[in-house]
Amino acid sequence: MKKIVKTSAQVIGLLMLMVFVSTKIQAQPNPGPGQQNSGIGVTSDGPTVPFDGGMSLMLAASGIGYAAKKMKKRI
């Protein structure tokens, strides 16, 4: 029982760390006003990258699924 609690605490701590770190990460800084029409395309600073928060949620969900599979296999 202690092993499950310890492992759960580690997983929760890792998830919290990932959430706090991912809020400060940006795929590309905002190039500012310019020739951005719809926000996707080429600006004077280069092409813009459409990257949203859904990608981090998908990665977190896959990591949780993988960890659950490994924990189930151990028990």
Side-chain angles (χ1 to χ4, degrees):
M1 183 68 175
K2 288 182 182 181
K3 188 176 185 180
I4 293 173
V5 172
K6 183 179 178 183
T7 305
S8 298
Q10 289 175 345
V11 169
I12 290 171
L14 182 63
L15 288 174
M16 289 176 59
L17 178 68
M18 287 173 36
V19 168
F20 290 126
V21 169
S22 67
T23 58
K24 298 295 179 183
I25 297 174
Q26 292 183 354
Q28 178 177 351
N30 186 5
Q35 305 164 352
Q36 288 188 17
N37 298 340
S38 66
I40 298 175
V42 179
T43 65
S44 60
D45 295 335
T48 58
V49 178
F51 187 85
D52 60 354
M55 181 67 73
S56 61
L57 293 176
M58 187 171 36
L59 289 172
S62 64
I64 291 169
Y66 181 73
K69 179 180 174 184
K70 288 294 184 177
M71 287 176 63
K72 185 177 177 183
K73 193 174 184 179
R74 279 190 187 174
I75 295 176

